[in-house]
Amino acid sequence: MSATPPPGPATGATPPDGAATGLSLIVPTLDSHQLLPRLVNSLQRQSWPHWKVLFIDGPSGAEHRAWLEALCHRDHRFRWQPQDPALPGIFGAMNQGFREAPPEDWLLFWGSDDWAPSRTVLEEAMEATQRGPRGVQPPDLVVCSGRYAGKGPDGATRLGRRTAFSSCRAFRLSLFLGSTPPHQATLIGPGARRRLDHYAEPFRLSADLDYFLRLSTSRDLTAKGLDLELVHMGVAGASGQQTGRRLQEVALAYRRSFGWLWGLPFGLRYVRRLWSRRPGAGQGPRPPRRDR
């Protein structure tokens, strides 16, 4: 049974003068139209409507592409294009999004099974991308938090552990101590894109970690932490089924960035993962906190 594209406005929305900078969401897809209505609905109900979505579609079947066509026809804030065969894999699709999005836009990378948890999250996140008092420049990254979600025994969606970055005040030090910004909850600004505008080969599963590590070598990089649960993330995916390759790529990313010290962030990363999976960890709300 095919999923029906949600209704939407016939034309795209343009931000009014003085509105927040544009936001482009890049969503790689592959025969995933049964998952997409939740993502689409969560965006169409946002209080801040000036987002755009670009689906980068792999070699999907006719039913999936017909679904995309129907959605993009009904709501012009959505568009899609086939994935370039020269840019294979999830991060290849994301690199295509880097290339296609307007250079002044902020970027957010989501999967087909991700969605916005409330109607105000994009408005709150985009407020953090603006200039500060007395003309302080916008940050290069805005790092929020996310929460994993899966199906319980009854088939209903169950929220799981929370994932967040430890501190943006010392971005590279936090990376060295094993913390990683969740890429689905990190807005990549024009300043970051000017410094680094692609995910690197040969990474297939951990290119996001490598991207943040390489970006962190910019001494004037500014990252703002926002205590905002920006996204709920599905737990399915290839990365969870390829543990050996992921471990190899994580080790490679740390070796490239920290040389012979790579073992420390590698070990601390997985200590953090184990700690976050203890019973009750990351389930409840946290007190408001912002890094500046």
Side-chain angles (χ1 to χ4, degrees):
M1 180 177 180
S2 62
T4 301
T11 58
T14 301
D17 290 341
T21 309
L23 173 65
S24 290
L25 288 97
I26 310 301
V27 183
T29 62
L30 180 63
D31 288 320
S32 53
H33 59 284
Q34 297 285 0
L35 298 173
L36 288 171
R38 183 166 56 184
L39 178 151
V40 169
N41 285 323
S42 75
L43 292 175
Q44 288 179 329
R45 63 192 287 264
Q46 288 298 303
S47 58
W48 189 80
H50 309 299
W51 46 265
K52 302 182 291 291
V53 172
L54 174 60
F55 297 110
I56 305 293
D57 188 52
S60 295
E63 184 178 7
H64 174 82
R65 291 200 167 177
W67 191 95
L68 290 180
E69 287 282 2
L71 170 64
C72 296
H73 178 75
R74 295 173 69 128
D75 188 337
H76 292 179
R77 292 173 296 182
F78 296 92
R79 64 188 182 97
W80 79 276
Q81 60 183 234
Q83 185 169 353
D84 185 343
L87 299 170
I90 294 291
F91 287 103
M94 292 161 71
N95 276 339
Q96 189 167 331
F98 261 119
R99 184 179 67 192
E100 295 295 330
E104 69 277 6
D105 272 13
W106 286 74
L107 293 188
L108 190 58
F109 293 99
W110 280 5
S112 296
D113 54 352
D114 299 336
W115 73 97
S118 79
R119 65 182 301 272
T120 62
V121 290
L122 293 188
E123 181 178 2
E124 294 177 65
M126 291 306 291
E127 284 178 1
T129 69
Q130 301 307 293
R131 288 179 181 271
R134 296 181 296 278
V136 174
Q137 290 297 309
D140 299 310
L141 299 172
V142 173
V143 183
C144 306
S145 65
R147 192 176 293 273
Y148 290 105
K151 289 189 179 298
D154 58 356
T157 299
R158 299 286 180 87
L159 297 181
R161 68 181 179 90
R162 186 174 184 265
T163 178
F165 191 53
S166 59
S167 175
C168 286
R169 296 190 185 102
F171 187 75
R172 187 164 175 81
L173 176 61
S174 293
L175 288 166
F176 181 73
L177 295 177
S179 187
T180 308
H183 79 256
Q184 301 97 324
T186 300
L187 282 75
I188 300 175
R193 294 176 63 189
R194 285 191 294 270
R195 291 174 173 86
L196 192 59
D197 63 353
H198 66 282
Y199 294 104
E201 296 284 351
F203 297 95
R204 292 287 182 267
L205 303 175
S206 299
D208 50 345
L209 169 63
D210 175 73
Y211 177 83
F212 291 126
L213 286 168
R214 288 187 293 141
L215 195 62
S216 73
T217 62
S218 298
R219 294 185 180 276
D220 58 347
L221 182 79
T222 58
K224 176 183 285 188
L226 195 63
D227 189 44
L228 171 68
E229 198 166 284
L230 180 64
V231 60
H232 287 166
M233 303 170 291
V235 295
S239 63
Q241 302 167 12
Q242 300 180 43
T243 303
R245 173 155 188 155
R246 175 174 285 278
L247 290 172
Q248 291 175 354
E249 291 191 5
V250 168
L252 175 61
Y254 284 134
R255 283 199 302 270
R256 285 183 170 187
S257 191
F258 297 121
W260 62 273
L261 294 173
W262 71 272
L264 183 56
F266 182 88
L268 288 173
R269 174 187 175 93
Y270 292 105
V271 168
R272 288 177 179 273
R273 296 294 174 89
L274 290 172
W275 183 255
S276 72
R277 286 176 169 82
R278 72 193 191 282
Q283 301 295 322
R286 295 181 59 176
R289 175 188 60 80
R290 295 192 183 194
D291 290 335
R292 299 189 183 277

